[in-house]
C-alpha cells in the first residue's frame, strides 16, 4: 500500500492514469465495434472489417490531435475557448433555423448548405454542431471555473456567466437531440465536481436538470404534427415504454411502437447471462437489434 501511495503521489500519476484509462476504453471500443459490425459488413460488402477500419482511422486522427494539443500551453486553450463557443452557438442556431424551416415550409437548405437530421452538410462535408458544442463547452467552462477559483462556493459566481450559457446550449440542443443534451449535462456536472463545487449544490442542479428534461419531453410531445422528431411523441413513447415495458408477445402481436428495439435488447442481455456467450458470439447483432453498433452496443457488450 505504501508503494502504491508513492506511485499515486507522483506529479504525473493522474496524467498516466488518464492516458491508460482512455487507451483501454479506445481498445475496448474498437473491439466491440468490430464484434457488432463484422457480420453485417461482410454480408453487405464482403469486408468484415469495414467499420473497424473506419473507426480506427478516426482513432488515429484523434490520437494525433491529442498529441498536438497536449503540447500547447494553457493560454492557447483560454484564447480559443470564447471563439469556439461562439462558433458552436452560431452553428446550433443555423441548424435549428433550418429544422424550423423544414417543419414550416418543407425547406431544409440555404444554397448548398442543408440540414440532415442533427447535422449540417455542405457538399460531401457533414458536421454535427453538437460535437463542436461539446468541445467548446469543455474549453470555455474550464476557463471560467479556473478563473473563479475559490469563490465557486457561492451561487452568484456559478450563475454568472456559466448557467446562462449552459442553459442556452441545452435549449438549442435539447429540443432536437435529447441524448446529446444529456451528454452536455454530464460534462458540466463532471467539471463542477472536478472544480471542487460543494456537494449540496448538486442536489439543486439535479432538480433543475430533471425539470428541464421533463419540459423538453413535454415540448416534443406538444410539437406533434410539426414535422420534428417529436411529431409521434417519440421521447414520451420511449420513456413510458421503459417504465412499463410490455411482454415480447404483446409487443409483436400488437405491433406496438417504440418497443421492438427494447425487447431485442432485453433478449441480448438475457441471452448473455452473467458471463456472456463469448466475444464475437452475439446472435442479436445478426440484424435483429437495430443500431447494434452504436446506440445499443451496450446490449451486444452484455450478450
Amino acid at each position: 500500500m505504501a508503494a502504491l501511495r508513492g506511485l499515486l503521489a507522483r506529479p504525473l500519476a493522474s496524467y498516466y492514469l488518464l492516458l491508460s484509462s482512455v487507451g483501454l476504453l479506445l481498445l475496448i471500443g474498437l473491439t466491440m465495434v468490430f464484434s457488432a459490425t463484422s457480420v453485417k459488413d461482410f454480408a453487405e460488402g464482403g469486408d468484415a472489417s469495414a467499420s473497424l477500419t473506419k473507426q480506427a482511422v478516426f482513432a488515429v486522427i484523434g490520437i494525433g490531435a491529442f498529441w498536438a494539443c497536449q503540447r500547447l500551453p494553457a493560454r492557447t486553450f483560454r484564447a480559443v475557448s470564447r471563439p469556439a463557443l461562439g462558433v458552436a452557438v452560431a452553428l446550433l442556431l443555423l441548424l435549428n433555423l433550418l429544422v424550423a424551416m423544414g417543419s414550416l415550409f418543407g425547406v431544409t437548405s440555404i444554397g448548398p448548405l442543408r440540414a440532415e437530421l442533427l447535422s449540417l452538410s455542405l457538399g460531401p462535408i457533414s458536421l454535427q454542431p453538437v460535437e463542436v458544442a461539446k468541445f467548446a463547452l469543455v474549453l470555455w467552462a474550464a476557463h471560467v471555473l479556473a478563473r473563479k477559483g475559490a469563490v465557486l462556493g457561492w451561487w452568484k459566481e456559478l450563475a454568472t456567466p456559466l448557467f446562462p450559457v449552459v442553459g442556452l446550449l441545452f435549449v438549442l440542443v435539447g429540443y432536437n437531440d435529447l441524448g446529446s443534451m444529456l451528454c452536455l449535462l454530464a460534462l458540466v456536472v463532471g467539471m463542477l465536481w472536478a472544480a471542487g463545487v460543494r456537494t449540496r449544490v448538486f442536489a439543486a442542479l439535479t432538480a433543475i436538470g430533471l425539470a428541464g428534461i421533463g419540459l423538453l419531453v413535454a415540448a416534443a410531445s406538444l410539437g406533434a404534427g410539426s414535422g420534428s422528431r417529436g411529431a409521434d411523441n417519440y421521447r414520451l413513447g420511449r420513456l413510458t415504454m421503459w417504465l412499463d415495458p410490455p411482454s415480447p408477445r404483446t409487443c409483436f402481436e400488437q405491433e406496438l411502437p417504440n418497443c421492438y428495439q427494447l425487447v431485442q435488447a432485453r433478449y441480448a442481455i438475457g441471452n448473455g447471462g452473467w458471463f456472456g456467450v463469448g466475444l464475437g458470439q452475439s446472435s442479436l447483432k445478426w440484424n435483429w437489434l437495430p443500431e447494434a453498433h452504436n446506440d445499443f452496443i451496450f446490449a451486444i457488450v452484455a450478450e
Side-chain angles (χ1 to χ4, degrees):
M1 292 302 296
L4 179 61
R5 283 195 295 268
L7 287 173
L8 295 177
R10 293 184 177 184
L12 290 178
S14 59
Y15 176 72
Y16 291 127
L17 285 173
L18 180 62
L19 282 183
S20 58
S21 299
V22 171
L24 183 61
L25 287 172
L26 182 61
L27 179 61
I28 294 173
L30 290 174
T31 301
M32 293 314 304
V33 164
F34 177 63
S35 174
T37 59
S38 57
V39 170
K40 185 176 181 180
D41 284 348
F42 184 78
E44 293 179 351
D47 182 5
S49 61
S51 294
L52 174 65
T53 302
K54 180 180 178 181
Q55 293 298 325
V57 169
F58 287 134
V60 171
I61 294 173
I63 291 172
F66 164 76
W67 179 86
C69 288
Q70 69 164 342
R71 280 160 170 73
L72 296 174
R75 63 177 179 274
T76 301
F77 295 108
R78 288 178 180 268
V80 169
S81 62
R82 287 185 179 179
L85 185 64
V87 169
V89 171
L91 290 174
L92 287 169
L93 285 171
L94 182 59
L95 176 63
N96 279 273
L97 174 63
L98 291 175
V99 170
M101 288 174 56
S103 300
L104 296 174
F105 310 112
V107 178
T108 59
S109 62
I110 301 177
L113 183 66
R114 64 186 185 278
E116 296 179 353
L117 193 57
L118 303 175
S119 64
L120 291 172
S121 297
L122 184 63
I125 302 173
S126 181
L127 172 70
Q128 287 195 2
V130 70
E131 300 302 327
V132 180
K134 292 175 185 177
F135 175 73
L137 179 62
V138 168
L139 287 183
W140 180 80
H143 169 61
V144 170
L145 294 173
R147 189 184 65 208
K148 288 184 176 294
V151 298
L152 281 174
W154 301 96
W155 270 103
K156 183 176 70 173
E157 297 298 330
L158 285 173
T160 55
L162 187 64
F163 286 173
V165 172
V166 172
L168 175 63
L169 288 177
F170 284 177
V171 171
L172 292 176
V173 174
Y175 185 76
N176 292 320
D177 190 0
L178 183 62
S180 292
M181 191 214 72
L182 293 176
C183 290
L184 289 175
L185 180 63
L187 283 174
V188 172
V189 170
M191 296 188 74
L192 291 176
W193 183 272
V197 174
R198 289 181 291 185
T199 307
R200 63 186 181 185
V201 173
F202 290 95
L205 293 179
T206 300
I208 295 172
L210 290 175
I213 292 170
L215 287 174
L216 288 172
V217 171
S221 299
L222 292 174
S226 65
S228 66
R229 288 185 69 184
D232 58 353
N233 291 338
Y234 173 79
R235 292 175 183 166
L236 188 60
R238 291 288 295 271
L239 184 61
T240 54
M241 194 64 62
W242 174 67
L243 293 173
D244 186 21
S247 66
R249 182 173 180 177
T250 301
C251 175
F252 295 130
E253 286 183 352
Q254 299 183 17
E255 298 183 353
L256 298 175
N258 302 317
C259 78
Y260 176 82
Q261 194 171 31
L262 172 66
V263 168
Q264 295 297 337
R266 290 171 65 190
Y267 279 154
I269 296 171
N271 189 38
W274 285 105
F275 303 105
V277 295
L279 183 61
Q281 301 302 311
S282 165
S283 58
L284 272 295
K285 69 185 180 186
W286 291 58
N287 266 346
W288 289 102
L289 179 62
E291 304 302 329
H293 66 291
N294 47 50
D295 286 6
F296 267 62
I297 198 169
F298 170 80
I300 304 301
V301 174
E303 187 184 7

